[in-house]
Protein backbone atom coordinates (compact mmCIF):
# COMPACT_ATOMS: atom_id res chain seq x y z
CA UNK A 1 0.00 0.00 0.00
CA UNK A 2 1.51 3.37 -0.94
CA UNK A 3 2.40 5.77 1.85
CA UNK A 4 0.50 8.92 2.68
CA UNK A 5 3.13 11.16 1.09
CA UNK A 6 3.04 9.08 -2.08
CA UNK A 7 -0.74 9.48 -2.31
CA UNK A 8 -0.49 13.22 -1.63
CA UNK A 9 2.20 13.67 -4.24
CA UNK A 10 0.19 11.93 -6.93
CA UNK A 11 -2.89 13.99 -6.10
CA UNK A 12 -1.07 17.31 -6.63
CA UNK A 13 -0.26 19.35 -9.65
CA UNK A 14 3.14 18.17 -10.92
CA UNK A 15 4.95 21.35 -9.89
CA UNK A 16 3.52 21.73 -6.35
CA UNK A 17 5.04 20.39 -3.11
CA UNK A 18 2.58 19.74 -0.29
CA UNK A 19 3.20 20.15 3.42
CA UNK A 20 6.20 21.42 5.34
CA UNK A 21 9.32 20.48 3.43
CA UNK A 22 11.30 20.46 6.69
CA UNK A 23 9.81 16.99 7.31
CA UNK A 24 10.02 15.67 3.75
CA UNK A 25 12.00 12.61 2.70
CA UNK A 26 14.87 12.78 0.22
CA UNK A 27 12.80 10.98 -2.42
CA UNK A 28 9.92 13.43 -1.98
CA UNK A 29 12.19 16.45 -2.36
CA UNK A 30 13.85 14.93 -5.43
CA UNK A 31 10.46 13.92 -6.91
CA UNK A 32 11.41 10.23 -7.06
CA UNK A 33 9.04 7.29 -6.62
CA UNK A 34 7.81 6.86 -3.05
CA UNK A 35 6.14 4.29 -0.88
CA UNK A 36 5.37 4.04 2.84
CA UNK A 37 9.06 4.25 3.72
CA UNK A 38 8.95 7.92 2.75
CA UNK A 39 6.55 8.40 5.68
CA UNK A 40 9.01 6.50 7.90
CA UNK A 41 11.67 9.13 7.14
CA UNK A 42 9.28 11.95 8.04
CA UNK A 43 8.27 10.13 11.22
CA UNK A 44 11.96 9.74 12.07
CA UNK A 45 12.43 13.51 11.84
CA UNK A 46 9.40 14.11 14.07
CA UNK A 47 10.55 11.46 16.58
CA UNK A 48 14.02 12.98 16.72
CA UNK A 49 12.56 16.42 17.34
CA UNK A 50 10.31 15.05 20.08
CA UNK A 51 13.20 13.28 21.80
CA UNK A 52 15.78 16.06 21.50
CA UNK A 53 13.77 19.29 21.08
CA UNK A 54 15.76 20.00 17.91
CA UNK A 55 15.35 19.35 14.22
CA UNK A 56 18.02 17.30 12.46
CA UNK A 57 18.95 20.32 10.39
CA UNK A 58 20.24 23.45 12.10
CA UNK A 59 18.47 25.80 9.73
CA UNK A 60 19.38 28.99 11.57
CA UNK A 61 23.01 28.79 10.44
CA UNK A 62 22.45 27.62 6.89
CA UNK A 63 22.79 29.73 3.79
CA UNK A 64 19.99 29.53 1.28
CA UNK A 65 21.23 28.27 -2.09
CA UNK A 66 20.68 30.80 -4.84
CA UNK A 67 19.36 28.34 -7.44
CA UNK A 68 15.69 28.54 -8.38
CA UNK A 69 13.46 25.53 -8.66
CA UNK A 70 10.34 25.23 -10.77
CA UNK A 71 8.45 23.76 -7.83
CA UNK A 72 5.87 25.66 -5.81
CA UNK A 73 4.77 24.86 -2.30
CA UNK A 74 1.10 24.64 -1.41
CA UNK A 75 1.69 26.47 1.88
CA UNK A 76 4.47 28.64 3.22
CA UNK A 77 7.20 26.21 4.34
CA UNK A 78 9.16 26.63 7.56
CA UNK A 79 12.30 26.94 5.44
CA UNK A 80 12.92 27.50 1.75
CA UNK A 81 12.59 24.45 -0.49
CA UNK A 82 16.03 24.98 -2.02
CA UNK A 83 17.55 25.13 1.46
CA UNK A 84 15.88 21.89 2.53
CA UNK A 85 17.06 20.10 -0.61
CA UNK A 86 20.63 21.25 0.04
CA UNK A 87 20.41 20.06 3.66
CA UNK A 88 18.91 16.69 2.77
CA UNK A 89 21.62 16.15 0.14
CA UNK A 90 24.45 16.52 2.61
CA UNK A 91 23.30 15.21 5.99
CA UNK A 92 25.41 12.36 7.37
CA UNK A 93 25.12 9.55 9.91
CA UNK A 94 27.27 11.69 12.22
CA UNK A 95 24.73 14.55 12.09
CA UNK A 96 22.03 12.22 13.39
CA UNK A 97 24.39 10.88 16.07
CA UNK A 98 25.37 14.38 17.21
CA UNK A 99 21.76 15.53 17.42
CA UNK A 100 20.83 12.49 19.52
CA UNK A 101 23.75 12.57 21.95
CA UNK A 102 22.66 11.48 25.40
CA UNK A 103 19.75 9.31 24.32
CA UNK A 104 19.70 5.54 24.92
CA UNK A 105 21.44 3.55 22.19
CA UNK A 106 18.27 1.61 21.34
CA UNK A 107 16.37 4.83 20.55
CA UNK A 108 19.31 6.18 18.56
CA UNK A 109 19.35 3.00 16.47
CA UNK A 110 15.63 3.32 15.71
CA UNK A 111 15.93 6.94 14.59
CA UNK A 112 19.09 6.16 12.59
CA UNK A 113 17.24 3.44 10.71
CA UNK A 114 14.22 5.67 10.06
CA UNK A 115 16.47 8.45 8.72
CA UNK A 116 18.45 6.39 6.25
CA UNK A 117 18.85 8.19 2.95
CA UNK A 118 17.92 5.07 0.95
CA UNK A 119 14.34 3.88 1.51
CA UNK A 120 15.45 0.24 1.28
CA UNK A 121 17.54 0.73 4.45
CA UNK A 122 14.61 2.11 6.51
CA UNK A 123 11.89 0.17 8.30
CA UNK A 124 9.67 -1.53 5.75
CA UNK A 125 6.49 -0.49 7.58
CA UNK A 126 5.36 1.75 10.40
CA UNK A 127 4.37 -1.43 12.28
CA UNK A 128 8.01 -2.58 12.16
CA UNK A 129 9.12 0.75 13.59
CA UNK A 130 6.40 0.60 16.26
CA UNK A 131 7.56 -2.87 17.29
CA UNK A 132 11.16 -1.65 17.57
CA UNK A 133 10.05 1.31 19.70
CA UNK A 134 8.00 -0.93 21.98
CA UNK A 135 10.91 -3.31 22.42
CA UNK A 136 13.31 -0.45 23.17
CA UNK A 137 10.96 1.07 25.74
CA UNK A 138 10.27 -2.30 27.37
CA UNK A 139 14.01 -2.88 27.74
CA UNK A 140 14.51 0.37 29.68
CA UNK A 141 15.27 -0.07 33.37
CA UNK A 142 12.51 2.42 34.18
CA UNK A 143 9.68 1.67 31.77
CA UNK A 144 7.35 4.53 30.90
CA UNK A 145 3.76 3.33 31.11
CA UNK A 146 0.28 4.81 30.77
CA UNK A 147 0.29 6.19 34.31
CA UNK A 148 3.62 7.93 33.70
CA UNK A 149 2.39 9.36 30.40
CA UNK A 150 -0.82 10.60 32.02
CA UNK A 151 1.09 12.29 34.84
CA UNK A 152 3.55 13.90 32.42
CA UNK A 153 0.76 15.15 30.18
CA UNK A 154 -1.05 16.68 33.19
CA UNK A 155 2.20 18.39 34.25
CA UNK A 156 2.81 19.73 30.73
CA UNK A 157 -0.75 21.06 30.43
CA UNK A 158 -0.41 22.79 33.79
CA UNK A 159 2.89 24.39 32.75
CA UNK A 160 1.41 25.46 29.41
CA UNK A 161 -1.56 27.03 31.16
CA UNK A 162 0.74 29.04 33.43
CA UNK A 163 2.79 30.19 30.42
CA UNK A 164 -0.35 31.19 28.52
CA UNK A 165 -1.57 33.22 31.49
CA UNK A 166 1.82 34.92 31.73
CA UNK A 167 1.83 35.79 28.02
CA UNK A 168 -1.70 37.16 28.23
CA UNK A 169 -0.69 39.37 31.16
CA UNK A 170 2.42 40.58 29.32
CA UNK A 171 0.43 41.36 26.18
CA UNK A 172 -2.55 42.99 27.79
CA UNK A 173 -4.99 44.62 25.44
CA UNK A 174 -4.46 42.30 22.48
CA UNK A 175 -7.89 40.73 22.90
CA UNK A 176 -11.04 42.28 24.34
CA UNK A 177 -11.34 41.56 28.06
CA UNK A 178 -11.96 37.89 28.77
CA UNK A 179 -11.91 36.73 25.15
CA UNK A 180 -9.50 34.37 23.41
CA UNK A 181 -8.54 35.10 19.79
CA UNK A 182 -11.08 32.66 18.38
CA UNK A 183 -13.82 34.17 20.54
CA UNK A 184 -12.91 37.74 19.56
CA UNK A 185 -13.31 37.04 15.83
CA UNK A 186 -16.96 37.44 14.81
CA UNK A 187 -18.51 34.50 13.02
CA UNK A 188 -20.31 35.21 9.71
CA UNK A 189 -23.72 35.05 11.47
CA UNK A 190 -22.69 37.69 14.04
CA UNK A 191 -21.85 40.41 11.50
Amino acid sequence: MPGLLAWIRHSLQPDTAKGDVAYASPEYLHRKPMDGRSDIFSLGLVLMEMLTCKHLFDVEHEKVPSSRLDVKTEEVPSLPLTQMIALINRYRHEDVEDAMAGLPDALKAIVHKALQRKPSERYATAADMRDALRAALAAESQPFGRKDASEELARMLSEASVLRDRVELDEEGIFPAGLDADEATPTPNEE
Side-chain angles (χ1 to χ4, degrees), residues 92-111:
R92 303 165 300 138
H93 175 85
E94 294 80 15
D95 298 325
V96 177
E97 188 64 31
D98 291 346
M100 298 196 36
L103 291 178
D105 289 339
L107 283 176
K108 283 186 202 178
I110 292 166
V111 174

Side-chain angles (χ1 to χ4, degrees), residues 60-135:
E60 292 178 16
H61 299 99
E62 295 295 326
K63 294 186 179 170
V64 178
S66 59
S67 65
R68 287 221 30 186
L69 297 174
D70 292 329
V71 177
K72 300 177 210 94
T73 57
E74 186 178 74
E75 58 190 60
V76 177
S78 59
L79 68 145
L81 182 61
T82 53
Q83 182 178 8
M84 187 61 199
I85 290 172
L87 291 167
I88 208 88
N89 285 342
R90 68 173 191 250
Y91 84 95
R92 303 165 300 138
H93 175 85
E94 294 80 15
D95 298 325
V96 177
E97 188 64 31
D98 291 346
M100 298 196 36
L103 291 178
D105 289 339
L107 283 176
K108 283 186 202 178
I110 292 166
V111 174
H112 273 293
K113 186 166 183 169
L115 294 178
Q116 290 298 310
R117 191 179 314 278
K118 295 180 183 176
S120 62
E121 295 175 2
R122 297 180 202 143
Y123 291 98
T125 67
D128 292 343
M129 187 173 173
R130 175 204 60 208
D131 293 344
L133 282 165
R134 284 182 174 168

Side-chain angles (χ1 to χ4, degrees), residues 4-182:
L4 176 61
L5 286 178
W7 177 82
I8 289 169
R9 180 174 173 199
H10 292 295
S11 67
L12 291 174
Q13 296 172 2
D15 63 345
T16 303
K18 181 160 179 97
D20 191 340
V21 296
Y23 297 93
S25 67
E27 57 272 21
Y28 180 78
L29 292 172
H30 290 293
R31 318 231 356 105
K32 293 183 178 176
M34 296 182 296
D35 59 20
R37 294 171 296 185
S38 185
D39 295 337
I40 299 295
F41 186 91
S42 299
L43 180 58
L45 287 172
V46 171
L47 182 59
M48 171 185 256
E49 193 167 356
M50 287 174 54
L51 293 169
T52 66
C53 295
K54 32 184 179 178
H55 195 281
L56 174 59
F57 306 111
D58 181 11
V59 296
E60 292 178 16
H61 299 99
E62 295 295 326
K63 294 186 179 170
V64 178
S66 59
S67 65
R68 287 221 30 186
L69 297 174
D70 292 329
V71 177
K72 300 177 210 94
T73 57
E74 186 178 74
E75 58 190 60
V76 177
S78 59
L79 68 145
L81 182 61
T82 53
Q83 182 178 8
M84 187 61 199
I85 290 172
L87 291 167
I88 208 88
N89 285 342
R90 68 173 191 250
Y91 84 95
R92 303 165 300 138
H93 175 85
E94 294 80 15
D95 298 325
V96 177
E97 188 64 31
D98 291 346
M100 298 196 36
L103 291 178
D105 289 339
L107 283 176
K108 283 186 202 178
I110 292 166
V111 174
H112 273 293
K113 186 166 183 169
L115 294 178
Q116 290 298 310
R117 191 179 314 278
K118 295 180 183 176
S120 62
E121 295 175 2
R122 297 180 202 143
Y123 291 98
T125 67
D128 292 343
M129 187 173 173
R130 175 204 60 208
D131 293 344
L133 282 165
R134 284 182 174 168
L137 291 174
E140 285 294 307
S141 60
Q142 295 178 325
F144 193 81
R146 289 181 183 175
K147 182 177 182 238
D148 301 304
S150 176
E151 289 170 357
E152 183 163 346
L153 181 59
R155 180 186 55 77
M156 290 170 54
L157 288 173
S158 175
E159 289 173 3
S161 179
V162 168
L163 289 173
R164 179 178 180 214
D165 291 344
R166 189 176 308 145
V167 167
E168 287 177 351
L169 287 174
D170 291 344
E171 297 177 0
E172 189 174 327
I174 291 178
F175 304 116
L179 295 180
D180 289 334
D182 60 324

